[in-house]
Amino acid sequence: MIRVERLRKAYGGVTACADLTVSIEPGTSTAVIGPNGAGKSTLVQLLSGVVRPDAGEVYLAERRITGLGPAHRSALGLTRTFQTSRVFPGLTVLESVMVGAYHGVRYEDRPFGTVGTLGDAAASLLGLPAWRRRRDEARERALAEMGRFGDRLVPRQDDYAYTLSYANRRRVEIARALAARPKVLVLDEPTAGMNPTETEELARLLADVRAERPELTTVFVEHKMNVVRRLSQRVLVMDEGALIADDTPQQALSDPRVIEAYLGASAVAKAGTEMPSGERRQPDRGPDQGGPDAAGA
């Protein structure tokens, strides 16, 4: 479903992605893990088109998308969330989720392009029947995805997004991504900042989504190893921009190279050592936080 070939990105003297080549099969769930500065968030930015690679190619279902922007990639079926929550503060919860839903409805069977976008804007201004049908379908999709979160979002559908707690802002962002009905869902640290109860709740919800939509390809960055074990079929481990392991969760998390990258060489010498279930380090300082994975750093 998604493939990268010799993907490279550097910020000054820091190589965040070093000639990475990997293919992700349709309908699979893949976790991307690694210590701080490993390049995980940079990989997400490259997949979603937020930043351009210095070299290499990105393919979605065998279509080359290297030069396409985020909106175009989303129209083709690749949707992502961010490391720090991104919501529209001046929109209500329902309106925020409808943004993703409408984008999905609009480009489900239409090509992305300037002419179509301008035509849709004109249709909305004129209130044409076709636009009203798309709006109503988007509203239904948005409510359905919000319903997954139960009383976390539904009772707050008319509240402005800026009034929400951090955890609920993340829920809105994930609901917005799901409402687009993507083919590929990319989540950048979906449980970051959540307590154990909230983490378990979200992990259960994402597992339910996987069960309902087996065709959905999921790629997610995560630091909590219990979530990695629960949700992933495959684990890609990055360190200093390079891929150091690619295996099942059990095998990848017990790989000596992975343990050394996280815990240091002394941990490798301990018999039976495996990655702990919780967070071992703080989340990457990524594009929103000015760290080595930052766009333009």
Side-chain angles (χ1 to χ4, degrees):
M1 177 56 69
I2 192 163
R3 174 166 52 95
V4 301
E5 293 183 353
R6 301 188 65 81
L7 206 58
R8 171 174 285 272
K9 184 66 182 179
Y11 300 108
V14 177
T15 300
C17 193
D19 294 320
L20 184 66
T21 296
V22 68
S23 295
I24 295 173
E25 296 300 317
T28 58
S29 180
T30 302
V32 182
I33 69 170
N36 292 349
K40 306 181 297 298
S41 289
T42 292
L43 177 59
V44 169
Q45 301 288 66
L46 292 168
L47 291 178
S48 60
V50 174
V51 299
R52 299 287 180 90
D54 297 329
E57 303 290 352
V58 182
Y59 295 88
L60 177 65
E62 299 306 318
R63 173 171 178 168
R64 181 180 177 275
I65 62 171
T66 312
L68 303 183
H72 198 160
R73 296 189 194 200
S74 179
L76 292 173
L78 192 155
T79 302
R80 57 84 55 96
T81 65
F82 288 81
Q83 190 179 66
T84 55
S85 62
R86 298 283 188 90
V87 297
F88 301 103
L91 298 183
T92 67
V93 170
L94 177 57
E95 290 168 341
S96 297
V97 179
M98 282 182 66
V99 170
Y102 188 85
H103 195 73
V105 170
R106 177 67 181 82
Y107 296 108
E108 205 164 48
D109 54 3
R110 300 174 181 83
F112 181 88
T114 303
V115 174
T117 300
L118 291 175
D120 191 59
S124 68
L125 290 172
L126 297 173
L128 298 182
W131 174 80
R132 291 200 301 270
R133 286 194 297 271
R134 289 194 292 271
R135 179 200 58 192
D136 292 344
E137 184 177 349
R139 188 176 191 278
E140 291 177 8
R141 284 192 185 186
L143 287 171
E145 296 303 337
M146 288 166 55
R148 294 182 183 277
F149 296 88
D151 60 5
R152 300 291 194 181
L153 294 183
V154 174
R156 298 175 174 85
Q157 63 180 283
D158 296 322
D159 294 350
Y160 287 107
Y162 76 85
T163 68
L164 300 177
S165 67
Y166 179 80
N168 273 339
R169 290 186 185 195
R170 295 202 72 88
R171 293 182 181 105
V172 167
E173 189 180 20
I174 293 169
R176 185 179 66 210
L178 290 171
R181 303 284 172 85
K183 299 172 185 174
V184 178
L185 177 65
V186 181
L187 305 170
D188 196 354
E189 298 191 35
T191 69
M194 292 188 174
N195 63 37
T197 299
E198 293 166 337
T199 295
E200 167 60 24
E201 182 181 287
L202 183 58
R204 185 169 59 249
L205 182 146
L206 292 174
D208 290 344
V209 170
R210 289 276 308 145
E212 292 175 21
R213 303 181 190 174
E215 75 285 357
L216 178 65
T217 304
T218 307
V219 181
F220 67 99
V221 174
E222 187 53 73
H223 281 270
K224 299 174 183 176
M225 296 304 150
N226 55 332
V227 177
V228 170
R229 289 186 180 92
R230 177 168 182 174
L231 296 180
S232 67
Q233 300 165 298
R234 177 185 182 189
V235 175
L236 305 179
V237 188
M238 296 184 68
D239 190 25
E240 297 182 349
L243 191 65
I244 62 171
D246 177 359
D247 216 321
T248 64
Q250 181 178 359
Q251 294 298 319
L253 298 180
S254 59
D255 189 312
R257 294 170 300 176
V258 176
I259 298 167
E260 181 175 356
Y262 269 90
L263 305 178
S266 61
V268 181
K270 297 181 180 179
T273 297
E274 190 185 45
M275 286 297 300
S277 60
E279 292 184 84
R280 174 52 57 174
R281 296 189 179 185
Q282 294 298 316
D284 278 357
R285 293 177 60 79
D288 300 319
Q289 298 167 291
D293 283 348

